[in-house]
Amino acid sequence: MFCSTVFSTKKLLLLFFSTSSLIFGTITLVFRHRLFSSILNSQLAIEEGTAAYNAWIETPIPVYTKFYFFDMVNPRDLFHSHEKPILEEKGPYTFREVEQKVNLTWHDNGTISYRRVKFWYFEREMSVGPLTDMVTTINVPVVGSAEFVRGDFFMEWGISDMLSTIEARIFVKRTIGELLFDGYEDTVMDLGSSFEYDEEEEEDPNKVPMDKFGWFYKRNGTSWADGYLSMHTGVDDMSLLGKIASWNKRTRTDAYPGDCGLVRGSSDGLFPPGLASSTDSISIFSTDLCRPLHFTKTGMQEVHGIPVEKFDLAATNFANSTVCPENDCYNNNIPSGVQNVTQCKMESPAFVSRPHFHLADPFYKDQFQYGIEAKEGKHDSSFWVEPKSSIPVKVEMRLQLNVLLRKVEGI
């Protein structure tokens, strides 16, 4: 009897565990998606302790920025012989970039405000030469001052007299280091900063430094350049994760009128889980362009064995209103393919395009004898995003900054 009882108990235990396993397996199958989403969401929300927060607060992997410059080969011929410019590309000059988020402020509406501090470290072995390499390029302070007074006869006359007195040059030969982070002194900058002193502007943490000129002057190790951002953390609503809420405490910029001036898109390349597989486009707000950049889905690929959705920089981003009517408020009243950013952070004749005017109107290439040669793939920008988590696995951004040089009648 005892053995029989033990045998029966074993059968009951086996039946119990089998039934329990079946029930657990059924529950797991039914709620697998919900469990996965719950675990994923808990780590993607931007709050202290999550994996996403730790990766967001400071760059966890190496990020490299490569700078290329066009060396002006025939600056004298441009004026004396009216020849078109000849350009020679120099680069890359590679920097390892580290980004940190500072001045964090958490808000009750599920957003966080912060500033970005960026550090750039020169990587000589990944560059074509040292930062002492020289290039001949446009003297932006001089060209900018001429554009600033365009259309005002008395101001044009005054600037013309000043530029003649100080023997200002439209083209300068400077080192890569000076053109990037070190900056170079220019008499026009000295005069301009002495006339524009304003006590309130002096205290503005977002004010562009005016004592020297350099494309990234005083950006290394400082937090002023990208302004004060606020974005949704996803804690209260995961569908809003990464969406920018405001920039410099405003929901629109003064750079563009109408809808083009709205602050929108992802703040730091963060997206809600599943968005990459459910949408055909994503947008990222650029503080350097004062506008969102739009990317369109082009299909599935693999990166390091991981299935990803590829998003390419949309062809319509820098199109003029003739090609894309919705871009009318971007004031791109020029041949298509170049973005007018003259009013973005300071009044200067700056325009943005893809490298070598890729996908732009042939008009731009025709302005040069040679040196401009756009190539598909080499001059494109793309995001590769894992579809379930919407985490970018690979990012390649390639943009070109251009300076408009044209005759000012009074100068």
Side-chain angles (χ1 to χ4, degrees):
M1 290 289 295
F2 180 76
C3 288
S4 177
T5 303
V6 173
F7 180 72
S8 300
T9 304
K10 284 183 177 179
K11 287 197 292 184
L12 287 171
L13 286 172
L14 287 170
L15 179 62
F16 172 74
F17 282 122
S18 298
T19 306
S20 298
S21 299
L22 178 62
I23 294 171
F24 178 74
T26 304
I27 292 174
T28 302
L29 285 172
V30 172
F31 295 102
R32 179 178 59 183
H33 180 71
R34 187 176 298 176
L35 287 169
F36 175 79
S37 297
S38 178
I39 295 171
L40 185 64
N41 291 353
S42 69
Q43 289 302 306
L44 287 179
I46 301 299
E47 60 179 339
E48 292 186 15
T50 67
Y53 174 83
N54 294 333
W56 173 79
I57 199 73
E58 182 171 347
T59 311
I61 57 176
V63 175
Y64 295 98
T65 302
K66 297 181 179 181
F67 295 97
Y68 296 80
F69 288 84
F70 284 120
D71 189 17
M72 182 74 169
V73 177
N74 62 334
R76 290 181 59 84
D77 294 339
L78 181 66
F79 297 103
H80 297 288
S81 305
H82 301 289
E83 292 186 6
K84 292 181 179 181
I86 298 173
L87 303 180
E88 180 184 354
E89 182 182 277
K90 287 190 174 183
Y93 296 91
T94 305
F95 288 77
R96 177 171 54 87
E97 183 180 334
V98 176
E99 180 179 303
Q100 299 174 352
K101 309 300 189 302
V102 298
N103 300 347
L104 307 184
T105 302
W106 303 87
H107 304 288
D108 293 335
N109 64 350
T111 63
I112 182 173
S113 297
Y114 59 95
R115 287 183 177 273
R116 300 173 183 145
V117 176
K118 295 181 180 179
F119 300 88
W120 282 275
Y121 304 94
F122 182 56
E123 299 285 346
R124 176 63 183 86
E125 64 279 7
M126 299 175 67
S127 306
V128 296
L131 296 180
T132 52
D133 283 354
M134 307 283 289
V135 296
T136 299
T137 185
I138 288 178
N139 191 1
V140 176
V142 171
V143 176
S145 65
E147 280 294 325
F148 183 74
V149 300
R150 176 182 293 277
D152 187 319
F153 172 79
F154 292 104
M155 288 290 287
E156 287 180 353
W157 179 84
I159 287 290
S160 179
D161 184 62
M162 180 197 74
L163 295 178
S164 177
T165 300
I166 65 176
E167 298 182 347
R169 295 172 296 169
I170 292 180
F171 293 97
V172 292
K173 193 169 187 176
R174 296 291 178 181
T175 68
I176 298 297
E178 288 176 320
L179 293 171
L180 285 175
F181 296 99
D182 298 338
Y184 64 88
E185 294 180 347
D186 188 276
T187 306
V188 173
M189 298 287 289
D190 295 336
L191 293 172
S193 59
S194 65
F195 284 118
E196 291 185 0
Y197 178 80
D198 185 292
E199 189 171 337
E200 290 185 3
E201 287 189 1
E202 190 71 19
E203 298 176 356
D204 182 2
N206 303 317
K207 184 183 178 184
V208 179
M210 296 292 289
D211 55 318
K212 289 183 178 181
F213 174 77
W215 291 112
F216 287 78
Y217 178 55
K218 286 190 176 180
R219 285 196 180 198
N220 204 344
T222 60
S223 64
W224 65 269
D226 287 346
Y228 191 60
L229 299 115
S230 182
M231 78 167 189
H232 291 272
T233 63
V235 173
D236 294 339
D237 186 348
M238 184 54 67
S239 68
L240 296 176
L241 173 66
K243 182 180 179 181
I244 191 168
S246 65
W247 182 40
N248 293 327
K249 301 182 179 181
R250 299 181 60 193
T251 57
R252 65 170 300 111
T253 77
D254 293 328
Y256 315 105
D259 289 345
C260 293
L262 295 177
V263 174
R264 51 186 172 166
S266 171
S267 180
D268 279 300
L270 296 174
F271 305 100
L275 180 70
S277 59
S278 63
T279 186
D280 291 328
S281 65
I282 57 176
S283 299
I284 298 173
F285 186 79
S286 169
T287 57
D288 286 320
L289 276 61
C290 301
R291 58 156 291 178
L293 291 174
H294 308 296
F295 294 76
T296 54
K297 185 186 293 184
T298 56
M300 289 289 294
Q301 292 188 2
E302 280 195 3
V303 175
H304 305 303
I306 302 172
V308 293
E309 294 279 8
K310 187 185 179 189
F311 291 82
D312 290 338
L313 186 65
T316 56
N317 273 282
F318 306 141
N320 61 21
S321 57
T322 302
V323 176
C324 181
E326 291 113 10
N327 284 357
D328 182 60
C329 49
Y330 280 123
N331 297 324
N332 286 341
N333 304 315
I334 51 178
S336 196
V338 174
Q339 172 67 58
N340 181 350
V341 293
T342 56
Q343 302 299 315
C344 181
K345 290 190 175 179
M346 59 182 295
E347 292 186 15
S348 62
F351 294 76
V352 171
S353 68
R354 291 172 174 80
H356 288 253
F357 300 105
H358 179 43
L359 300 184
D361 191 289
F363 165 85
Y364 297 104
K365 183 179 180 179
D366 292 342
Q367 304 308 303
F368 304 90
Q369 288 191 55
Y370 53 84
I372 299 297
E373 195 62 48
K375 294 183 180 179
E376 186 175 352
K378 183 179 180 179
H379 297 139
D380 289 319
S381 296
S382 303
F383 268 68
W384 288 262
V385 185
E386 197 285 316
K388 290 186 174 64
S389 64
S390 292
I391 295 175
V393 175
K394 180 182 177 182
V395 178
E396 291 181 350
M397 280 298 301
R398 301 182 179 100
L399 296 175
Q400 176 176 299
L401 186 60
N402 311 284
V403 177
L404 176 63
L405 180 59
R406 56 179 176 169
K407 181 176 177 57
V408 178
E409 292 301 329
I411 300 178

